[in-house]
Each structure stands twice: as C-alpha cells, then as structure tokens.
C-alpha cells in the first residue's frame, strides 16, 4: 500500500497524481504539492502579465486591450486586472475631488498602476559610519554602475538614484522583481539588502515615509513621541537622529514609541533592536493614542499648567502623529485596494484622526513641532482634520511652511476646497452642507459617519480697513501642507503638515460655581433712579386715590 501511494511523480516528497491516502500527513503533503505547482505556473505567467500591464499603462490612450494588469504582490487572492472602459470608485471619487490638475491625471493613474521601486536609507549614527562605508563599497558595483542592467524579462533597469536629504537610495526595480530575480547581480543585491537591514546598517523604507521625521529635524536633546509607531521605520529614523553624534545611547533626549497593538509593538522592538546600544534612548508603550497619558499631570492638588492655562504642560519637543488612515496612497504596494476602496473608509476614521491629533497637540511643549501625516489622498483625512485642529486649539497651533526643509522633494500644495461625497451603487452622491447629510433620505448608519468638521472651513477674505490699511485674512493657510503624488518622483501617495505650538491651549472657560453666583446676585450696588414717562396728572390722581404722598426725586 505504501509503494502504491508513492508510485507517481512527487514534488517535495508528496504525490501529485497518486492514489488517495487516508493519512493526514500525506493529505497535507499533497495539498502543499498542488500549491507549489500552482505557484510555479503563476510565476511563469507573471512575466508576460507584468509586461502587458506596463505596456497598457504607458499607452493607455492608444491601447486596444480590454484590461490593465496590476503589479504582483504577495497577496494572490484578488484580481490583478482592471477594465479599460470602466472607472473604479477610486478614479471617480478623486477625479471629482481634483487632487491633481486634469493635465496630470493620466500620469497620476499610470504611476499608480506600476510597482513601487525599492528604497532604503543608510544609518547616519556616528558609531556606524565605518560599517556604512564598507557596506557601500560592497554594493558599489551596482549602486554606482553605469553599465546597462536588465531584469529576467530583458527590460532595462533604470540606474539607482541618490537621495541626499535622507542619505538614501531609490532603486529602479520593485520588491517582487528583486526578490524572485534570476539575474546574478540582482540576487546579490537582494542578499546585501537583507543582511544590511538585519544589522542596522540600512533601513528599508518608502521615500514618502521618510518625510515626517526629516522635516521635524530631531536633535540629540529632544524628547520625541511617535504616537502610532508601528512598524517602526520612523522610530528608527528618530533614534538615529538622536545618536547622530557621539556614542550610541549617549544622547540626552529619548524616543517614546507607542502603538495600540501589543503584537505590532513586539515587531517594532525587533526592528529597533538592530540599532544596538542606541535603544538605550528608546521606550516602547502600548496605549490608545487619543488618550495617551501626560507625565506632567500632577499627583498633588498643585497643578503645573502652561503659563497659567487650564491644561498641564506638554512633555515632548517633537511629535510624529502618523495616524491610522484608509491607506489609498499605498496602491502601488497594495493593488488590492483598487477593488476594495470606498470613500466611507475615510469618513469612519476622520473623528479618530482628529482626536489623536488633538492629543498630540496637548502633549507638545510650547515652541515644539508636530507632524501630522497620512498615507492617503483623501482631504477628509488630511486638510479637514488639520483645519479643525487649528480651529479647536484656539490659536495655540500654526501651520509652518516646511518647503525649505527638504527643497529637493517635489510636492503639491494642500487644497482649501473639497467635496464630501459617498458612492452608492457606483454613483457619486455629494453633500454640499452638513445638513444635507442628515436628511431623512440618508440611511441612519451613514448619518452617524458624518461630522461637521469634514467640510471645508469658511474662507474669510482680506479686506481694507481704516486709512487704507489692509487687514490680514484669518483663513487657515492649508496651502502650506504638502501632498506627495506618485508621478512627481516615482513614489507613493502621502500627506504631511508641520505644526508649531506657539501658545498654551486655552481650553473652555471655567464654569462659575453656585456660591459665586449667589454672591454676585446679592452684591450691593449703588441705586440707579429711572425717571418715569407717566404724566404728572396721572401720578397725582393715583396718589390721591390710594392716599399716597408724591415726592420729586432730584439726581
């Protein structure tokens, strides 16, 4: 019986077409064999599929094919094809939003359908400079090679691009092509990346993800809080900035990395462990970001408040507030979003994002900086949250123009007008005002997702005052926000804004106690006589009728 069960061709020690066995071990082996065979077949077909996808994306105007192929990923359970003749919900929604000019729309979509290039940054700590120099010498034949390099399909790979503002590199090949390449040079490069990443010499990180920590300009004495830290790439970037000079762990500042999920915190710790002794300046916490505790809250009756304000003083000089979002800016890494995306995802996260941003503002020191960021294109998650945050902080926060901090980075300014829309059976439903979203025709479950803060703030234009002086506008300068779009520098989608705390948060007015109200009600004041407009004849008549004497009051 055993010989009969193994008498056919085997893959990995399991029979593919042999007789059915009752042994659970052999059944599992047969399932693995079929999965391996299917994966091998898919790999053989992926080369032609990727070539077709790139040709269709690059020549969309003149193509005659019916489908567009999306990039390969490690998630094979979704359809990798898009219809040329049908717009997805993503395309319909964002075309109506006008997040890019109409002339850029085709390039915007073309890049979103291409795989994301591999990017990494080198360690900037002083203690690792020699290791970084040796690692770059090992990869010199690829990073600085002027010869033509082709992948398995014979396509020319663009040369690597240096990113001096973050000490990084952008390769001309994507993650999946690099991982499964049969090209000897690309295989050596993959092994080099894995080795150096595990030892902390470099960090694999998307270009757009490097922006928040870069514009914060962390210094060795700063106390830094990463409110939503997992998977930890921004945390390692801040840790390296603390230890950029001197020995590892000798900085006077610290980094607090927080995430609500303990399992993600575990992976964050493992990732930061590659920085060795620099983790002496790191503390990892697991807490809900919108209720993150303030260490300056007093344990006695005497409160330490911000210059006489109502709230405790902030605890941190720099805060990274990279909030949970719908993630549609990661389409190049996660193409399954094309078929799953809905505008309601952003609406369901808006209130949480605002609460986390408010908590970050409360934890920030006066004079400190905070970056609010998302990997989303949606203004409901971006500019709407920033505008409401500025409004609620009552002048304590202001938007900083960070264009001079990374001048090499190409970007688009933030937008000041947008629409609040939903998709119903593929059709766009627009709500011009909040009251329209609360109409009786709107389902009750959808009503609850709306908030007044989702709509653009009212624009107050500058006007001319007395003597011809121009009074400044009180409009929120949302144009200083930065939007990163894929077709500018071959990256993912991202939103970031640099905020500075310029004053204590005023908070609501203190309520008057009952005792104070009573004292104020019985407070003695100087009497004030009021002259009656009733005629003197009528007064005398009434006085005579009731037997009263009339006196004239002089005042």
């Amino acid at each position: 019986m055993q010989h009969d069960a193994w008498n056919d061709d085997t893959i990995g020690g399991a029979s593919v077409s042999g007789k059915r066995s009752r042994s659970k071990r052999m059944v599992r082996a047969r399932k693995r064999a079929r999965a391996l065979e299917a994966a091998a077949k898919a790999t053989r077909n992926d080369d032609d599929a990727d070539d077709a996808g790139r040709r269709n994306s690059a020549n969309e105007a003149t193509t005659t094919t019916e489908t567009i192929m999306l990039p390969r990923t490690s998630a094979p359970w979704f359809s990798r094809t898009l219809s040329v003749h049908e717009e997805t919900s993503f395309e319909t929604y964002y075309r109506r939003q006008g997040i890019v000019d109409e002339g850029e729309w085709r390039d915007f979509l073309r890049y979103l359908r291409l795989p994301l290039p591999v990017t990494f940054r080198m360690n900037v700590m002083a203690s690792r400079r020699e290791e970084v120099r040796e690692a770059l010498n090992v990869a010199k034949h690829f990073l600085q090679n002027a010869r033509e390099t082709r992948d398995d399909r014979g396509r020319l790979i663009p040369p690597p691009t240096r990113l001096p503002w973050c000490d990084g590199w952008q390769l001309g090949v994507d993650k999946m092509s690099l991982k499964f390449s049969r090209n000897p040079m690309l295989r050596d490069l993959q092994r080099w990346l894995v080795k150096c990443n595990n030892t902390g010499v470099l960090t694999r990180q998307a270009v757009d993800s490097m922006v928040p920590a870069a514009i914060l300009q962390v210094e060795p004495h700063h106390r830094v809080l990463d409110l939503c830290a997992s998977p930890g790439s921004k945390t390692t970037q801040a840790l390296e900035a603390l230890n950029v000079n001197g020995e590892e762990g000798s900085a006077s500042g610290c980094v607090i990395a927080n995430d609500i999920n303990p399992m993600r915190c575990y992976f964050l710790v493992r990732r930061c462990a590659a920085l060795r002794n620099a983790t002496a300046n790191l503390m990892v916490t697991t807490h809900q970001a919108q209720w993150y505790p303030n260490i300056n809250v007093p344990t006695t009756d005497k409160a330490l408040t911000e210059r006489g304000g109502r709230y405790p003083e902030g605890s941190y000089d720099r805060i990274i507030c990279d909030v949970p979002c719908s993630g549609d800016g990661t389409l190049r890494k996660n193409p399954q979003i094309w078929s799953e995306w809905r505008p309601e995802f952003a609406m369901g996260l808006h209130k949480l994002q605002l609460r986390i941003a408010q908590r970050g503002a409360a934890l920030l020191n006066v004079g400190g900086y905070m970056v609010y960021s998302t990997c989303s294109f949606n203004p409901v998650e971006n500019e709407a949250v920033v505008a409401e945050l500025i409004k609620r902080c009552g002048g304590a926060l202001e938007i900083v123009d960070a264009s001079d901090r990374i001048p090499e980075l190409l970007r688009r300014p933030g937008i000041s007008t947008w629409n609040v829309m939903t998709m119903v059976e593929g059709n766009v439903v627009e709500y011009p005002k909040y009251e329209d979203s609360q109409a009786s025709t709107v389902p009750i479950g959808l009503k609850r997702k709306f908030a007044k803060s989702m709509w653009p703030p009212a624009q107050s234009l500058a006007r001319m005052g007395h003597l011809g002086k121009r009074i400044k506008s009180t409009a929120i300068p949302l144009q200083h926000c930065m939007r990163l779009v894929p077709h500018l520098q071959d990256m993912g989608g991202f939103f970031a804004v640099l905020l500075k705390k310029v004053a204590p948060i005023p908070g609501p007015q203190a309520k008057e106690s009952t005792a104070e109200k009573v004292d104020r009600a019985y407070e003695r004041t100087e009497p004030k006589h009021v002259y009656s407009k009733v005629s003197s004849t009528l007064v005398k008549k009434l006085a005579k009728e009731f037997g009263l004497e009339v006196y004239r009051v002089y005042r």
Side-chain angles (χ1 to χ4, degrees):
M1 291 295 294
Q2 185 177 5
H3 175 74
D4 293 338
W6 293 84
N7 59 358
D8 294 315
D9 296 335
T10 60
I11 299 179
S15 175
V16 177
S17 59
K19 296 182 180 179
R20 184 184 180 97
S21 172
R22 295 183 180 180
S23 171
K24 292 184 178 180
R25 181 180 300 176
M26 296 183 65
V27 170
R28 288 195 295 267
R30 191 176 292 113
K31 288 182 179 179
R32 288 196 299 269
R34 286 196 293 267
L36 289 172
E37 187 177 12
K41 184 177 179 181
T43 303
R44 290 193 297 269
N45 296 334
D46 271 340
D47 294 346
D48 296 335
D50 282 347
D51 286 337
R54 288 181 176 271
R55 287 195 299 271
N56 294 339
S57 300
N59 305 299
E60 187 177 346
T62 58
T63 184
T64 58
T65 58
E66 298 294 326
T67 60
I68 299 172
M69 293 301 300
L70 299 176
R72 283 185 298 174
T73 68
S74 56
W77 44 266
F78 68 98
S79 174
R80 289 182 55 206
T81 60
L82 293 177
S83 175
V84 174
H85 306 292
E86 294 182 7
E87 272 193 341
T88 61
S89 299
F90 175 90
E91 297 173 59
T92 304
Y93 180 86
Y94 282 118
R95 194 159 196 168
R96 290 280 295 269
Q97 291 287 19
I99 58 172
V100 296
D101 295 336
E102 191 63 29
E104 300 178 88
W105 182 251
R106 297 175 67 84
D107 287 337
F108 173 72
L109 288 182
R110 181 169 64 89
Y111 271 84
L112 279 178
R113 294 164 182 164
L114 296 177
L116 186 68
V118 174
T119 53
F120 60 90
R121 55 177 178 80
M122 307 305 296
N123 195 315
V124 297
M125 293 192 299
S127 58
R128 295 295 191 95
R129 288 172 185 168
E130 187 61 32
E131 295 179 56
V132 169
R133 189 180 299 109
E134 293 177 0
L136 290 176
N137 287 334
V138 172
K140 185 177 181 180
H141 67 285
F142 183 84
L143 296 179
Q144 301 178 5
N145 190 3
R147 297 182 304 170
E148 290 186 356
T149 304
R150 296 185 179 274
D151 60 9
D152 298 345
R153 297 178 287 277
R155 296 178 306 175
L156 183 64
I157 298 177
T161 305
R162 183 84 167 87
L163 305 173
W165 59 271
C166 62
D167 290 311
W169 291 84
Q170 184 180 55
L171 306 181
V173 62
D174 63 281
K175 173 184 175 181
M176 299 300 290
S177 298
L178 184 63
K179 184 176 181 179
F180 298 106
S181 176
R182 294 186 293 270
N183 185 311
M185 181 177 290
L186 295 181
R187 290 176 67 87
D188 291 342
L189 177 63
Q190 170 68 7
R191 285 192 288 266
W192 177 81
L193 284 173
V194 172
K195 177 183 176 181
C196 293
N197 187 72
N198 292 338
T199 57
V201 176
L202 62 83
T203 301
R204 298 270 294 263
Q205 188 177 0
V207 174
D208 43 86
S209 177
M210 302 177 192
V211 172
I215 63 177
L216 274 181
Q217 296 181 348
V218 176
E219 298 179 7
H221 63 277
H222 284 158
R223 286 175 292 180
V224 185
L225 173 64
D226 194 350
L227 272 174
C228 307
S230 181
S233 55
K234 301 178 186 65
T235 302
T236 58
Q237 197 173 354
L239 264 180
E240 292 176 19
L242 283 182
N243 295 273
V244 67
N245 300 314
E247 298 181 359
E248 295 179 1
S250 62
S252 58
C254 64
V255 176
I256 312 297
N258 176 71
D259 198 272
I260 189 175
N261 190 315
M263 184 57 67
R264 290 202 297 263
C265 285
Y266 171 75
F267 290 123
L268 187 152
V269 169
R270 290 192 59 186
R271 186 166 193 172
C272 294
L275 299 182
R276 298 188 306 210
N277 294 334
T279 55
N281 302 106
L282 172 68
M283 183 172 73
V284 179
T285 62
T286 173
H287 205 284
Q288 296 189 48
Q290 66 271 29
W291 295 317
Y292 198 82
N294 190 341
I295 60 175
N296 281 335
V297 173
T299 57
T300 61
D301 294 338
K302 186 178 180 180
L304 302 173
T305 58
E306 292 180 333
R307 302 179 187 176
R310 292 200 62 200
Y311 296 122
E313 295 180 356
S315 307
Y316 303 97
D317 305 301
R318 300 289 188 270
I319 293 181
I320 303 173
C321 189
D322 188 54
V323 297
C325 64
S326 59
D328 51 30
T330 64
L331 271 169
R332 302 182 68 177
K333 294 189 295 184
N334 304 297
Q336 66 270 17
I337 296 177
W338 282 107
S339 57
E340 298 175 351
W341 186 90
R342 296 293 181 273
E344 290 78 15
F345 295 162
M347 295 167 55
L349 291 167
H350 171 86
K351 297 177 184 178
L352 174 63
Q353 293 163 342
L354 182 56
R355 289 198 296 268
I356 294 176
Q358 284 184 269
R359 191 57 187 159
L363 295 171
L364 188 64
N365 282 331
V366 175
Y369 290 90
M370 178 177 77
V371 169
Y372 174 84
S373 62
T374 70
C375 51
S376 171
F377 297 112
N378 204 321
V380 172
E381 301 178 81
N382 300 332
E383 286 89 352
V385 174
V386 174
E388 185 66 16
L389 177 65
I390 297 294
K391 177 182 176 182
R392 293 189 182 185
C393 287
L397 281 185
E398 65 178 20
I399 299 177
V400 179
D401 184 5
S403 58
D404 59 334
R405 300 205 171 193
I406 312 178
E408 306 94 336
L409 186 67
L410 300 180
R411 69 200 80 180
R412 290 288 181 266
I415 60 179
S416 57
T417 58
W418 59 88
N419 303 313
V420 178
M421 300 179 291
T422 59
M423 304 286 293
V424 179
E425 297 180 354
N427 299 320
V428 175
V429 179
E430 186 174 339
Y431 305 90
K433 296 182 297 183
Y434 172 74
E435 291 73 19
D436 299 327
S437 68
Q438 303 302 305
S440 58
T441 56
V442 180
I444 186 64
L446 186 59
K447 282 183 183 180
R448 294 172 179 170
K449 292 186 177 182
F450 290 102
K452 293 183 179 180
S453 55
M454 293 179 181
W455 277 260
Q459 298 293 326
S460 54
L461 303 177
R463 57 187 178 87
M464 299 300 293
H466 296 292
L467 302 177
K469 292 184 178 180
R470 191 175 185 85
I471 300 176
K472 292 183 179 180
S473 170
T474 57
I476 300 173
L478 295 175
Q479 69 276 9
H480 293 327
C481 303
M482 59 178 69
R483 283 182 161 270
L484 307 181
V485 287
H487 60 282
L488 294 183
Q489 285 184 314
D490 200 7
M491 61 175 68
F494 204 76
F495 173 89
V497 58
L498 182 63
L499 302 166
K500 182 179 181 181
K501 191 171 184 179
V502 296
I505 299 176
Q509 295 182 355
K511 293 184 178 180
E512 191 176 26
S513 65
T514 305
E516 291 173 341
K517 289 181 180 180
V518 172
D519 292 341
R520 183 168 52 81
Y522 287 94
E523 186 179 6
R524 298 180 64 87
T525 58
E526 183 182 358
K528 295 182 179 180
H529 301 286
V530 179
Y531 289 100
S532 173
K533 295 183 180 180
V534 182
S535 65
S536 59
T537 305
L538 179 60
V539 172
K540 292 178 180 179
K541 184 178 179 181
L542 291 174
K544 184 178 179 181
E545 182 179 353
F546 291 100
L548 301 176
E549 295 183 0
V550 179
Y551 297 92
R552 183 181 295 277
V553 178
Y554 294 92
R555 183 174 176 81

